[in-house]
Amino acid sequence: MSQPKEIPKNYDPIEVEERWMNTWKKEDYYFDRHSKKPQFVIDTPPPYPTGNFHIGNAFNWCYIDFIARYKRMCGYNVMFPQGWDCHGLPTEVKVEELNGITKNDVPREEFRKMCRELTLSNIEKMRKTMWRCGFSNDWSNEYITMMPEYYKKTQLSFLRMYKMGDIYQSEHPVNFCTRCGTAIAFAEVSYEDRTTKLNYFDFDGLEIATTRPELLAACVAVAVHPDDERYTSLKGKTLKVPLFGHSVKIITDEAVDPSFGSGAVMICTFGDKQDVHWWKQHKLDLRKAIDMTGRMTSIAGKYQGMTSTECREAILADMKSQGILKRQVPLDQHVGTCWRCKTPIEILSERQWFVKVHNDEILEKARQISWTPEHMRSRLENWAQQMEWDWCISRQRIFATPIPVWFCKKCGEVILPDEADLPVDPTVDKPKHACPKCGGNEFVGETDVLDTWMDSSISVLNVTGWDGSKVPDLFPAQIRPQGHDIIRTWAFYTILRANALTGGKPWEQILVNGMVLGDDGFKMSKSRGNVIVPEEVLSKHGADAFRQWSASGAATGQDIVFSWNDITAGARFQTKMWNICRFAMMQLEKGGPESDKAEVLADRWLMHRLSQVEKDVTGFMNVYNFDGAIRVIREFARDIFADNYIELVKGRLYSDGAGRASALYALRTTIDALCRMLAPFTPFFAEECYTILTGGKSVHKQSWVDFDYVDKLALDEGDLVVKVVSEIRRYKHDAGMALNAPLGHVVVYTPFEINDGGDCASAINANVEFKCEKPKLTRAVSDVKFNFGVIGPKLRKQASGYMNAIKALPEDQILNPPKTVKVDGAEIEVIADSFEPVYSFSVEGEKVEVLTLSEDVIVTVHKN
RNA sequence: GGACCUAUGGUCUAGCCGGUCAUGACGUCGCCUUUACACGGCGAAGAUCGUGAGUUCGAAUCUCACUGGGUCCA
C-alpha cells in the first residue's frame, strides 16, 4: 500500500480510483467454501453480453455491491458471482451483420462458433467497466451460459423435468416469420403502421368485414357481441363459408367490438392474437391455411401453393365475380412484422416443447420469499394467477442450448441421452443405444433449441452448486437482486424451476430495484437521445460519485431519474469529506497526547451523535434502504461533524491545553467510523481516507461499525451549546459583523450547569459565561403554543374551541391555568401539557441584546 | 385493454402506519478571503405537496374519481 506523504489539497477521484483499481486484488472478494462464517449467496442477474454494460445494469450492480460489501464487513462469507446470459437472437443478428451473411450460409457449428467468439469479446469489455465501477464481484464464481459446463446443467435440468412429466410436446400457435423460417418471440415482433383495405362481403347472408380474405379457408367460427341486437336471432346457428363451403358456428363474445366493421367478425386460425385467444377460449377447430414457407396449404383448394398475397388477390377477384364482395374501405392498422426483415408475421401452429406451469406451487414459494419492496410480490402473484397456458421453451434458432433429444426414425419414440453423456448436441451426436421401444438404430436429432430463460432460470442452482445429485448445500441463496421489469420472466421462471428441481424456494429474499430513466424523465432510448453511458459519468466524476447517485437518487424500488446534479452533489460531498479528513490528519500528525476516551463536553456530544448515526445507518442497511443510509451519513458528516463540531473545537486543537487530547480522540474515532460506513458506497474514497488515517490499512478488511455510546446529558448540553453558537452567528450576520469578529461579553442563562471547556467562547470569539440561573429580565407572555398530539385525540371536535378559549385567557391564567375553561357554553377541563406559553423578554437596566433560544435558555450579549 | 408503481419549491428528491413553522441536493440572491475546504461558510427568497371530492378537530400522508408519467403484459 502506498501512503502519500503530503495529503494532496484537492481530491482527484479519477487518479485515486484508478490507483486503487490497479492495487486491489480480485482474490479479496472470493467466496470461501471452507469458511465457518455464515454464508451470504447472491443470485446476481446474468446480463446479456451486448458489449455495453448499460447504466441500468450499473445501477442494479451498485445495489448488489452495497450489500456485498456491507455483508462482508458484518462477518458474512459473501458470494457475489457474475454470470452471462449469452444465448439469443441479438447476437445471431449481430454476427450476420458483422460478417455479411445469414445464419443458413454457414454450417450450424461454424455459426455457433462465430457467436461464441463475439460473446466472449463482449464479455471482456463489460468486465472492464464493472471493475472500473468498483464492484466487488467474485470472479472465481463466474459462469457463462453458452459454455459446456453450464449448458450441460441446462440440459440436465431439461431431462429431469421431462422425466418428471413437467416438460411435454404439443402443437401451439407461435409467431412465425415465413421468410426467416423461424418462430419468434413477442419481443422480436416490431409493429409498423400500414394502410390496408377492410373488405365487406356477404358471408352466407351475413355481412362480414375482414382485412385478411386469404384466410377464408382457415375460418373456424363467426363471432358477434352477445348484446348486439342485430344478431340476436343468429345465436347458435351455423353458416356456410363462401367459396369453400365448410360450416362454421356463430359464437358470442364480449370482446367483439360491435362498432367495428359490421359487428360480426370471422375467426381464422390464425389471423391475429385475438383469434388465438378466441380459438383457445371457445375450443374451436384448427385449420392451417398457410404453411411455414408462407404458401397456401391443401385446405385452400384451388388456391393451394399460392403465396398469401397472391391468394388474397385471387379470392377477392372470385368474390367480385360471384357478387359477394360488397365494398372496400381503407384502414390504418398496426402490422406485426419480423424486426429483422420486416416481413409481416404469421401466427402458425407448430409442434413445440412446453414446461408445465404449476401456479399454486409458484405462488406458495413466492409467499415464502421476503420481498423488498413488499408490493413487488403482487406483480408476480397477478401474473401467476392469470397465466393461461404453459411456458413454450422451444425456439427455431441456432445460437442456444440444444434440446437434448432424438427421435427414432422408425417409431418416432423420444430418445434421451444418458445424463453422464451431457452435454450433447443432437444435430451432431448420436444416441449410444438402440431405440428402447422398437430397437431402431436410425435417429433424427431435435433441431429446435431452448429458450434462453431455460438457461438463466437455473442461475441460482448453478451458483449454489447443483449437479443433480441432491439439493446443494448452499441452496437456497440469500438474495436475488433484480429489476422489476423481469419479475414476470426471470423471477417467475426461477421460482418455477427451483421448485421443480429441488422442491424449495430459490432465495430467502428478493430485492427489486427500479428502472433508470433519462434526465428528461423518460426511459432512455436512442431515438429520444437521452441515453447516458456509465463510461461518460466515470470519466467525468469517477465511480464513487456515480455510486452515491445510485444510493441517493431515489428510494429503494423506485424508478430513478438520471441527474448530473446528484452526481455533482456526490462529487462535492467527497471534496468536503476529503477536507475534513485533511483537517483531522493535520491535527493528528501534529502529535501531542491523544486520549482514549471523550472527556470534554463537545467530544462526548459528538460521540453520542455518532453512536446514533451508526444505529440509524445500520438499521437502513439491514432493510436495503440505501438512500436513507447515505442521507444520514452525509448529514452527519456535513452538519454535525464539520459545521458544528469542528468549528467548536478548533480553539482547543490550536492550543496545547488538556482539551486537545480528547478532541484528537473524537476526530480519529469519527473519521474511522465514517470511513467504514462509507466503504460500501464509495469504496475508493473510503479506502483512500482510511489508508491515510491508519497508515496503510484497508477499510474493506475492517468490520462494520459497532459503536455504542450513550451520554444523554452530553447530548442535551451539547445541543444547547451548538444552538448558542449558531444563534450568535445569525446575530452577527444580521448585525453585519464578520463571523469571527470579537463580540465582548456573552452570558448564557441555562436551567443546568454547563462546562463546555471554553469551546463556545473560541467559536464565537467572545467572553462567554454560562449561568445556571434565571436572568433578571422582565418576561411577558406573547403567545401560546399548543400540543396537537394531546389536544386532538382528547377533544376531537371541541379542539379548536378549546384552543380559542385558552388563547383568550389573561396572562396570569396562562401561567397558572384554571381547572376548566368555557367552550360553547360548556365547562371543559384544562388538559395537562396541552399548551405552553411563549415568552418575550424585555431588557432590565443595562443595555444588552437578548436572544431567546427557548423558554428557559436566554442569551444576553454585552457589546463593548 | 389489464396489473402494479408514481405525481412534493426553477430542476431532482425525502417524508407518506395523519399532528405544531414539509427534508435535502442542484440552481438563484445577499454577506463573509474565519489558519480543512470559495468544489467553502453564514443567511435569504422560492412549494396552498397533479386536479376534484370524501373521511377527520386536523390530510403531502387515508379513501374514491379524474389527468399526466413509468414498467411489465395483453
Side-chain angles (χ1 to χ4, degrees), chain A residues 644 720-731 764:
Chain A
N644 294 330
L720 198 151
V721 171
V722 164
K723 201 161 180 206
V724 168
V725 171
S726 87
E727 278 301 319
I728 295 285
R729 283 185 163 179
R730 190 196 308 269
Y731 168 79
I764 62 180

Side-chain angles (χ1 to χ4, degrees), chain A residues 115 274 331 428 579 794 808:
Chain A
C115 290
Q274 184 62 52
L331 180 75
V428 177
N579 282 299
K794 279 211 169 164

Side-chain angles (χ1 to χ4, degrees), chain A residues 136-272:
Chain A
S136 61
N137 285 96
D138 173 357
W139 291 100
S140 70
N141 277 295
E142 186 183 22
Y143 59 89
I144 301 176
T145 61
M146 67 179 182
M147 293 308 205
E149 56 271 25
Y150 189 97
Y151 79 74
K152 88 179 202 193
K153 293 188 188 181
T154 307
Q155 291 189 328
L156 178 60
S157 70
F158 175 93
L159 292 181
R160 288 293 171 89
M161 289 178 70
Y162 180 79
K163 289 171 190 167
M164 286 161 56
D166 271 356
I167 289 180
Y168 63 94
Q169 296 181 81
S170 169
E171 249 199 27
H172 193 272
V174 287
N175 293 313
F176 206 93
C177 174
T178 52
R179 195 210 65 92
C180 303
T182 181
I184 58 178
F186 279 115
E188 295 152 2
V189 177
S190 66
Y191 291 88
E192 282 188 10
D193 289 322
R194 293 192 183 180
T195 307
T196 186
K197 284 201 176 95
L198 184 60
N199 306 285
Y200 287 79
F201 68 100
D202 185 321
F203 192 114
D204 196 11
L206 180 67
E207 187 178 66
I208 294 259
T210 182
T211 57
R212 304 205 60 187
E214 70 274 20
L215 285 174
L216 202 55
C219 180
V220 289
V222 167
V224 295
H225 194 277
D227 302 333
D228 196 329
E229 288 164 7
R230 290 172 291 177
Y231 304 121
T232 33
S233 62
L234 293 173
K235 277 178 200 167
K237 299 218 167 122
T238 57
L239 294 174
K240 209 165 232 179
V241 178
L243 305 183
F244 294 95
H246 60 283
S247 295
V248 295
K249 276 188 299 188
I250 295 180
I251 60 166
T252 59
D253 196 288
E254 303 268 342
V256 178
D257 179 0
S259 65
F260 182 82
S262 62
V265 54
M266 68 173 195
I267 302 174
C268 308
T269 55
F270 297 96
D272 57 22

Side-chain angles (χ1 to χ4, degrees), chain A residues 483-694:
Chain A
H484 61 64
D485 53 336
I486 48 176
I487 289 175
R488 290 162 172 197
T489 47
W490 194 41
F492 181 82
Y493 294 140
T494 303
I495 295 173
L496 184 160
R497 302 260 276 144
N499 179 55
L501 294 162
T502 71
K505 61 180 174 187
W507 338 277
E508 290 168 359
Q509 306 176 37
I510 176 164
L511 173 67
V512 182
N513 64 267
M515 299 291 111
V516 177
L517 309 176
D519 60 3
D520 54 1
F522 293 98
K523 188 181 177 180
M524 285 191 190
S525 71
K526 280 181 198 140
S527 56
R528 272 190 196 277
N530 61 352
V531 175
I532 307 274
V533 296
E535 286 77 6
E536 187 183 352
V537 184
L538 294 173
S539 63
K540 281 184 182 152
H541 297 283
D544 285 336
F546 176 78
R547 296 170 61 112
Q548 283 189 69
W549 162 78
S550 296
S552 67
T556 315
Q558 297 285 50
D559 287 345
I560 179 169
V561 176
F562 182 81
S563 135
W564 285 107
N565 273 354
D566 288 353
I567 303 281
T568 311
R572 289 211 186 150
F573 172 70
Q574 281 159 214
T575 304
K576 181 70 182 175
M577 194 60 214
W578 179 248
N579 282 299
I580 294 170
C581 288
R582 270 185 71 223
F583 173 79
M585 285 313 297
M586 283 164 70
Q587 296 305 323
L588 289 164
E589 281 175 356
K590 246 195 252 169
E594 199 177 319
S595 183
D596 61 357
K597 62 175 187 295
E599 285 152 349
V600 181
L601 174 61
D603 306 335
R604 289 159 49 215
W605 173 79
L606 182 69
M607 293 302 99
H608 183 99
R609 289 286 202 163
L610 177 63
S611 173
Q612 280 190 322
V613 164
E614 184 271 314
K615 303 275 172 298
D616 290 347
V617 172
T618 304
F620 282 135
M621 293 304 280
N622 288 336
V623 296
Y624 309 117
N625 182 342
F626 306 118
D627 101 285
I630 193 91
R631 181 162 21 93
V632 169
I633 294 171
R634 283 170 167 181
E635 277 170 15
F636 172 78
R638 292 190 106 107
D639 303 345
I640 306 294
F641 190 38
D643 296 345
N644 294 330
Y645 176 78
I646 290 180
E647 291 307 317
L648 212 44
V649 296
K650 272 182 178 171
R652 259 194 285 148
L653 288 167
Y654 295 152
S655 66
D656 288 329
R660 186 163 190 274
S662 172
L664 289 182
Y665 164 80
L667 283 181
R668 185 182 292 281
T669 307
T670 308
I671 302 271
D672 183 288
L674 278 172
C675 284
R676 290 179 204 229
M677 289 190 285
L678 282 169
F681 296 107
T682 57
F684 298 104
F685 177 80
E687 186 79 322
E688 184 74 0
C689 292
Y690 198 77
T691 310
I692 295 169
L693 179 74
T694 59

